[in-house]
C-alpha cells in the first residue's frame, strides 16, 4: 500500500537524502564496520547538508520541519544497514532534550554546532549496575558552589568515543524518596577534566557503533549546565523516551524491509532439486507471512508517526510498536537467514549481520519486557 504519512516535501527530502547516502554513506559502511566506529567527517557532511536536526528550529540552524524528516533519515540509514551513523541518538533523542528544556543560552551554545555535525551528542543513562531500573542510578552530582561534582560510571553509551556533549543522568539528591525525585540531567562536555572515556565495547552486532564506557571522576560541571530543574530529570526522561521508542520502531521496520527484499532476490536465484528455492511452498508461505507482518507493522508505525507529529499522547502505542516491530525483526531475520541455507551463516551475506544486528533492538531504548510493563500499567493491571 502507498504510505500516506509523508507529504510531497517529505518525499523530495527523502530522494535528496537517498542520493547523498548512496554517494557518501554506502561506500564507507564496510570500513566503519571493520574499524568499529564511524568518522567525524561524515557527520560533518550530514550536518552541512541539513540531515542532522531537520526538525530543530531554524533560528538554531535546524530545518524547522517535523519529526517525519528525522524518520526519513532513520529509515534510509537502516535500509542501507548504516547502523553506525546513529542520527536517532544525536538528532532525535538528544537534541530534543536541549530544545525543550534548555535555557536560551544552552540552546544557542550547543544546538548550532550539533546541527552542523561539529559537536556530537550522546546520552548517559545506563550504569554497570542498572539499566531498566533507571531510578536506581548511582552516579552522583553534588552541588559545590557554582558547580556540580560528578562521580560515577556509565556503560553501553552510544557515540561514546566520538561524542562531544553528553546528557548525563545523575542523582543530585541521593537521599530523596522516592528515589527518582532526586534525579537531574546535566550537560557534560567531553573536554571537562574528570570526564574519562573507557573501553569501546566489543559487540555481537552494530559493529560500527562506538558503544562505550564513560566514567566521571570528580568531574566539575558548571551549575549552568543543569538541564531543566533539579529533581525533574526522571520526569523529563519519561517524556522523551517515547520518541526514542518510535525511532526504534521506524528503523526496525525499515531493516525488516531490506532483509526481506534481499531474501526474495536470493530465493529466486538459488536452486535446489532443479528448481529455484522460491518455488517451494515453504519458501512462499514463509515470505508471504513475513511480508504480511511487515505491511501490518508499517501501517501501525505510520499511524503512530502521524499521531506523534500531531502531539498526541502515544506512550502506550510507542511501547507497543517498539516491542512488536523489534520482535518481528528478530523473527524475520532468523527466518530469512534460514532461507539462505549455509550462506546465511556467512558474513559475506548481509543477512548474517542483519540477524546479529537485530538482537539488540529488543534490549535498548527500554527492553521489550519493560514495554509490556508500561502497556499493562496503562491497562490498569498492577
Ligand atoms: C548497543 C547498545 C547501545 C546502547 N546505547 C545506550 C545509550 O546510548 N545510552 C544509555 O544510557 N544506554 C544505552 N544502552 C543501554 C540499554 O538501554 C540497556 O542495556 C537497557 O535499558 C537494559 O538495561 P540492562 O542492560 O541493565 O538490563 P537489565 O535491566 O539488567 O535487564 C535484564 C533483563 O531483565 C529484564 N527485566 C528488568 N526489569 C524487568 C521488569 N520490571 N519486568 C520484567 N523484566 C525485567 C529485562 O527486560 C532484561 O531481559 C545501550 C545498550 C546497547 C546494547
Amino acid at each position: 500500500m502507498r504510505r500516506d504519512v509523508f507529504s510531497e516535501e517529505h518525499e523530495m527530502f527523502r530522494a535528496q537524502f537517498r542520493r547523498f547516502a548512496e554517494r557518501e554513506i554506502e561506500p564507507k559502511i564496510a570500513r566503519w564496520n571493520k574499524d568499529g566506529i564511524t568518522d567525524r567527517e561524515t557527520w560533518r557532511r550530514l550536518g552541512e547538508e541539513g540531515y542532522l536536526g531537520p526538525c530543530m528550529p531554524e533560528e538554531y540552524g535546524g530545518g524547522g520541519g517535523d519529526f517525519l524528516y528525522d524518520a526519513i533519515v532513520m529509515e534510509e540509514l537502516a535500509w542501507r544497514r548504516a547502523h553506525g551513523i546513529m542520527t536517532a541518538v544525536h538528532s532525535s533523542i538528544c537534541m530534543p532534550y536541549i530544545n525543550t528544556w534548555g535555557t536560551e543560552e544552552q540552546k544557542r551554545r550547543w544546538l548550532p554546532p550539533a546541527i552542523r555535525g561539529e559537536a556530537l551528542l550522546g546520552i548517559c543513562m545506563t550504569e554497570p549496575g542498572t539499566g531498566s531500573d533507571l531510578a536506581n542510578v548511582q552516579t552522583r552530582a553534588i552541588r559545590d558552589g557554582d558547580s556540580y561534582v560528578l562521580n560515577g560510571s556509565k556503560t553501553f553509551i552510544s557515540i561514546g568515543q566520538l561524542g562531544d556533549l553528553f546528557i548525563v543522568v545523575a542523582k543530585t539528591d541521593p537521599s530523596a524518596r522516592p528515589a527518582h525525585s532526586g534525579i537531574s540531567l546535566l550537560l557534560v562536555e567531553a573536554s571537562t577534566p574528570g570526564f574519562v572515556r573507557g573501553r569501546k565495547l566489543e559487540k555481537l552486532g552494530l559493529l560500527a557503533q562506538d558503544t562505550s564506557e564513560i566514567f566521571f571522576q570528580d568531574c566539575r560541571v558548571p551549575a549552568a549546565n543543569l538541564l531543566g530543574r533539579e529533581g525533574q530529570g526522571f520526569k523529563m526522561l519519561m517524556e522523551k523516551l517515547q520518541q526514542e521508542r518510535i525511532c526504534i520502531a521506524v528503523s526496525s521496520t525499515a531493516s525488516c524491509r531490506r532483509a526481506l527484499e534481499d531474501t526474495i532476490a536470493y530465493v529466486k536465484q538459488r536452486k535446489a532439486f532443479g528448481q529455484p528455492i522460491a518455488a517451494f511452498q515453504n519458501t512462499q508461505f514463509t515470505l508471504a507471512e513475513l511480508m504480511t507482518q511487515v505491511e501490518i507493522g508499517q501501517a501501525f508505525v505510520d499511524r503512530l508517526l502521524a499521531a506523534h507529529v500531531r502531539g498526541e499522547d502515544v506512550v502506550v502505542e510507542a511501547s507497543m510498536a517498539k516491542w512488536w516491530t523489534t520482535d518481528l525483526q528478530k523473527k524475520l531475520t532468523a527466518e530469512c537467514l534460514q532461507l539462505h541455507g549455509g550462506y546465511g551463516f556467512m558474513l559475506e551475506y548481509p543477512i548474517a549481520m542483519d540477524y546479529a544486528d537485530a538482537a539488540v533492538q529488543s534490549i535498548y531504548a527500554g527492553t521489550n519486557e519493560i514495554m509490556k510493563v508500561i502497556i499493562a500499567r496503562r491497562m490498569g493491571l498492577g
Side-chain angles (χ1 to χ4, degrees):
M1 287 186 290
R2 193 174 61 82
R3 300 176 66 192
D4 54 13
V5 64
F6 299 107
S7 68
E8 220 173 285
E9 285 77 36
H10 290 122
E11 291 304 348
M12 277 161 58
F13 178 82
R14 185 191 294 278
Q16 198 181 38
F17 183 66
R18 271 188 187 154
R19 285 194 294 275
F20 173 83
E22 277 162 19
R23 211 175 48 241
E24 302 200 32
I25 303 267
E26 282 195 38
K28 299 179 187 158
I29 295 174
R31 180 165 51 80
W32 290 336
N33 286 341
K34 203 158 161 281
D35 294 349
I37 196 163
T38 56
D39 63 75
R40 296 190 74 90
E41 176 56 17
T42 305
W43 283 93
R44 205 191 52 72
R45 285 286 300 133
L46 279 158
E48 201 168 69
E49 296 291 326
Y51 300 128
L52 301 177
C55 57
M56 285 293 114
E58 287 174 9
E59 58 186 304
Y60 306 115
D66 57 27
F67 178 69
L68 295 172
Y69 289 93
D70 267 359
I72 288 169
V73 173
M74 283 182 267
E75 283 184 351
E76 294 299 323
L77 291 173
W79 192 86
R80 289 181 168 72
R81 303 183 169 102
H83 305 301
I85 296 281
M86 292 197 95
T87 60
V89 172
H90 177 79
S91 299
S92 316
I93 297 170
C94 295
M95 282 186 200
Y97 278 94
I98 301 174
N99 189 41
T100 306
W101 290 295
T103 60
E104 194 50 38
E105 201 199 323
Q106 288 171 340
K107 291 194 222 183
R108 293 213 174 277
R109 180 159 175 208
W110 285 304
L111 283 179
I115 290 166
R116 289 196 299 268
E118 290 163 6
L120 302 187
L121 311 181
I123 183 161
C124 301
M125 298 178 278
T126 308
E127 300 184 352
T130 193
S132 304
D133 184 9
L134 205 48
N136 192 34
V137 290
Q138 299 299 310
T139 297
R140 291 174 177 214
I142 304 303
R143 183 77 187 242
D144 180 33
D146 285 347
S147 324
Y148 288 97
V149 180
L150 197 54
N151 277 292
S153 311
K154 298 286 180 182
T155 194
F156 306 151
I157 305 306
S158 304
I159 324 186
Q161 297 296 316
L162 287 177
D164 301 291
L165 178 74
F166 291 85
I167 298 167
V168 178
V169 179
K171 288 249 171 83
T172 42
D173 182 359
S175 59
R177 293 294 171 268
H180 66 74
S181 64
I183 290 180
S184 304
L185 305 186
L186 288 174
L187 293 162
V188 183
E189 288 173 308
S191 57
T192 317
F195 177 103
V196 179
R197 293 187 213 266
R199 284 177 303 151
K200 176 160 70 66
L201 301 162
E202 298 290 324
K203 305 191 295 302
L204 171 68
L206 300 191
L207 298 181
Q209 208 252 92
D210 50 328
T211 316
S212 305
E213 300 168 322
I214 288 181
F215 305 105
F216 304 102
Q217 296 168 351
D218 287 330
C219 179
R220 198 168 269 277
V221 180
N225 288 22
L226 177 73
L227 189 61
R229 282 188 290 133
E230 245 189 46
Q232 294 295 302
F234 196 77
K235 239 173 95 184
M236 292 151 76
L237 288 163
M238 291 305 112
E239 191 181 318
K240 290 292 179 211
L241 279 168
Q242 171 174 307
Q243 182 153 305
E244 184 170 349
R245 286 156 193 164
I246 298 173
C247 295
I248 304 288
V250 164
S251 53
S252 184
T253 308
S255 292
C256 283
R257 282 193 177 286
R258 181 63 191 268
L260 201 52
E261 276 179 35
D262 287 359
T263 305
I264 292 167
Y266 181 81
V267 299
K268 283 182 181 165
Q269 56 83 22
R270 174 74 179 170
K271 288 200 171 66
F273 298 95
Q275 56 184 328
I277 54 175
F280 299 126
Q281 196 180 52
N282 175 64
T283 307
Q284 294 170 4
F285 281 12
T286 301
L287 293 175
E289 283 173 20
L290 292 174
M291 183 61 96
T292 306
Q293 290 168 67
V294 171
E295 285 296 334
I296 289 173
Q298 186 76 75
F300 187 81
V301 168
D302 285 357
R303 218 176 127 210
L304 172 62
L305 279 171
H308 182 54
V309 167
R310 285 195 300 270
E312 290 176 22
D313 171 2
V314 288
V315 170
V316 171
E317 291 77 7
S319 303
M320 289 173 172
K322 197 271 173 182
W323 85 254
W324 196 89
T325 55
T326 59
D327 225 44
L328 173 61
Q329 188 184 351
K330 287 167 80 170
K331 186 175 79 166
L332 181 144
T333 51
E335 295 200 10
C336 288
L337 186 153
Q338 180 71 11
L339 288 173
H340 279 72
Y343 291 103
F345 198 64
M346 300 298 135
L347 285 176
E348 65 195 270
Y349 280 77
I351 193 64
M353 275 316 296
D354 288 348
Y355 175 77
D357 291 335
V360 74
Q361 300 280 69
S362 59
I363 295 170
Y364 57 16
T367 67
N368 283 9
E369 291 73 33
I370 295 298
M371 296 305 98
K372 291 171 197 174
V373 169
I374 294 170
I375 298 163
R377 257 192 220 136
R378 283 283 184 113
M379 291 164 72
L381 309 167

